[in-house]
Amino acid sequence: MGRENKPIKSTDRTDIEGEITLNKFGIHLANGPQDIDRVASLGCDCYTVLHGERRYLKRLRELRPDAIINLRQYDPDIMSKDPATLADHMYGPDESFDDEAGYMRRLHEEGITDHVMPGNELNLAIEGGGWTRADYERINRWVLAWVARCRELAPWAIIHFPAFASGHSEDQADFPDDPFVGFEICREAAEACDVIDHHDYWEGWGQLSGEHWEWYAFRFQKVHTMFPDKPIFISECSSTPNDPGQLIWYFEALYGYDYVIGATPFLWDSPDPRHWAGRIVGMPVEQAIKNANKPDVPLPDIIVVPPEEPEEEEEEEPVAQYEFTGGFKDKAIALGPDIVGEPLEKEKYYDAPDGHRMGSQWTTKGRMEWVKEFNNVEFFAGVRPLA
């Protein structure tokens, strides 16, 4: 018996029925301390957060009750971990591991989020992967194994395929001598997920709305052509530098793509100076997002892929361990299997108390008997005694 995909018309709580409407504006939460009330005051409905910052999510859910909260299990060396063990750690019972264990199960039970993504830009060496053919093959195997275990433990999980870094043979063949496409190599893993995440960065209007737009700000379209039935979540995006006018224009343009759930610009704040170019808090872009008109639109159907059900195997007819030989075989052929059945044992020979040399063999429907003096085989219907 195969799988049946079930459309979920909700954000994180799959028991809500009816059409959900959300705006496409979002924020990638800080990689460190943050004022979550200030974040929520911008009025966005889409968020990405690293699993290490999940302590802010209960309050965020209170302030934005219908928002998409996409949790990224972040570890720059994630693919060195056994995928099934990692899934056990995220969804297993608390007592199985350390104090952190089972956190995704708890987030589900508390109604905070079911959206989850393993890793980040796995086609980069600094994220534990790479972008050769062998790297993409390894990514496909690893994500597939992780998803399979998650489906067993948490069939409610809404799993995002982790975004790739753009320009690394993920959506086009860059090597003439070996023309592979990373997403095609990872097709099985991507199809096993419910949402595909994408990262879209640009520098200046030329890469946003000019001649290069499809290779930068709107590169997600190339993935959509490969996976037209999967909704896309832009878990990272930004202009360089972070230009308020460009970012608001981008958000507004996303309303033209009904398969895009929303976007979460990278990022609210970070203690790492390398990320300050895209910082939102305290910058003009913060007020621009807060003041922007954010129309609600229907949430794209998120088709949650259920666990694979084992195929029903037809029961094979038992192979006979014994066979009829000699006169017993002749008798069995003469009477037919409907009367005689199948042998339950090897034939046995013995001396009866009256001195006759005899042979016998129990079958599924009775007993064969042979008497040497008469050299005759008879069949007696009945049931073999238990002892």
Side-chain angles (χ1 to χ4, degrees):
M1 185 175 182
R3 298 184 295 198
E4 180 181 356
N5 291 347
K6 179 182 178 183
I8 300 299
K9 295 297 293 186
S10 73
T11 54
D12 297 283
R13 295 171 302 288
T14 58
D15 57 338
I16 298 176
E17 295 182 357
E19 188 171 73
I20 299 297
T21 58
L22 302 169
N23 67 61
K24 292 179 182 279
F25 284 69
I27 298 290
H28 189 300
L29 298 190
N31 298 347
Q34 55 202 303
D35 181 347
I36 204 66
D37 286 51
R38 183 172 175 176
V39 174
S41 72
L42 272 61
C44 300
D45 280 337
C46 298
Y47 300 90
T48 297
V49 59
L50 303 188
H51 78 282
E53 309 301 330
R54 62 187 180 279
R55 61 189 179 278
Y56 297 103
L57 298 187
K58 185 174 182 179
R59 178 60 176 164
L60 180 60
R61 175 58 70 206
E62 293 172 354
L63 297 169
R64 305 298 302 172
D66 291 323
I68 296 281
I69 301 176
N70 180 25
L71 189 139
R72 176 186 290 156
Q73 172 70 26
Y74 180 69
D75 180 346
D77 196 29
I78 195 169
M79 290 217 310
S80 69
K81 310 293 191 297
D82 176 72
T85 301
L86 177 62
D88 288 341
H89 178 71
M90 296 169 67
Y91 288 100
D94 297 1
E95 62 270 16
S96 297
F97 291 87
D98 52 37
D99 292 339
E100 186 188 65
Y103 69 84
M104 281 306 301
R105 180 177 293 276
R106 290 195 298 275
L107 291 175
H108 164 75
E109 293 170 348
E110 295 169 9
I112 294 175
T113 190
D114 290 329
H115 288 257
V116 64
M117 173 179 60
N120 175 63
E121 297 185 341
L122 299 179
N123 59 340
L124 294 182
I126 60 174
E127 300 287 1
W131 57 298
T132 66
R133 176 186 289 274
D135 289 323
Y136 281 114
E137 290 171 347
R138 183 166 67 101
I139 293 168
N140 184 61
R141 291 192 301 269
W142 191 94
V143 174
L144 263 178
W146 181 84
V147 170
R149 183 58 178 157
C150 287
R151 296 295 188 203
E152 293 177 12
L153 297 169
W156 62 80
I158 301 174
I159 298 176
H160 293 227
F161 184 82
F164 285 141
S166 295
H168 293 76
S169 296
E170 80 287 354
D171 57 15
Q172 68 170 4
D174 291 324
F175 300 102
D177 294 337
D178 187 15
F180 66 84
V181 175
F183 263 112
E184 289 298 342
I185 293 174
C186 295
R187 174 169 290 278
E188 189 176 3
E191 293 284 7
C193 297
D194 311 313
V195 179
I196 294 180
D197 274 29
H198 205 266
H199 293 172
D200 297 274
Y201 288 92
W202 66 91
E203 294 184 14
W205 287 99
Q207 295 180 0
L208 176 62
S209 61
E211 60 178 321
H212 302 300
W213 64 278
E214 64 178 326
W215 292 102
Y216 292 93
F218 294 87
R219 192 159 182 159
F220 62 81
Q221 294 181 101
K222 297 183 181 298
V223 177
H224 175 66
T225 62
M226 288 186 273
F227 302 93
D229 297 327
K230 295 289 183 183
I232 289 177
F233 189 83
I234 301 172
S235 49
E236 288 186 21
C237 65
S238 184
S239 62
T240 304
N242 209 343
D243 182 280
Q246 292 181 25
L247 189 60
I248 301 305
W249 187 95
Y250 184 66
F251 274 125
E252 292 173 348
L254 292 181
Y255 280 84
Y257 301 88
D258 58 2
Y259 57 85
V260 174
I261 296 172
T264 58
F266 188 78
L267 81 168
W268 178 253
D269 198 6
S270 174
D272 187 345
R274 293 175 300 174
H275 297 151
W276 286 358
R279 187 166 53 176
I280 295 172
V281 64
M283 306 300 289
V285 71
E286 177 186 358
Q287 198 63 37
I289 294 174
K290 188 170 186 176
N291 294 340
N293 179 38
K294 306 178 188 67
D296 287 353
V297 292
L299 176 72
D301 281 349
I302 298 175
I303 310 299
V304 175
V305 182
E308 184 76 62
E309 296 182 9
E311 296 290 335
E312 293 183 358
E313 298 182 2
E314 295 184 3
E315 292 187 8
E316 297 182 0
E317 289 291 328
V319 178
Q321 293 180 306
Y322 307 103
E323 59 183 359
F324 295 119
T325 61
F328 290 166
K329 181 178 181 179
D330 294 338
K331 192 70 172 182
I333 293 174
L335 297 178
D338 290 341
I339 295 176
V340 176
E342 299 294 332
L344 290 174
E345 61 181 3
K346 292 179 65 174
E347 63 270 23
K348 298 177 181 177
Y349 297 96
Y350 55 93
D351 293 323
D354 60 5
H356 292 298
R357 182 65 175 168
M358 299 188 66
S360 68
Q361 187 174 20
W362 279 99
T363 77
T364 54
K365 295 191 176 184
R367 176 182 171 93
M368 295 276 199
E369 286 193 358
W370 167 79
V371 180
K372 180 178 181 181
E373 283 77 2
F374 305 109
N375 194 25
N376 185 40
V377 175
E378 298 290 344
F379 176 74
F380 301 93
V383 179
R384 184 183 188 182
L386 294 178

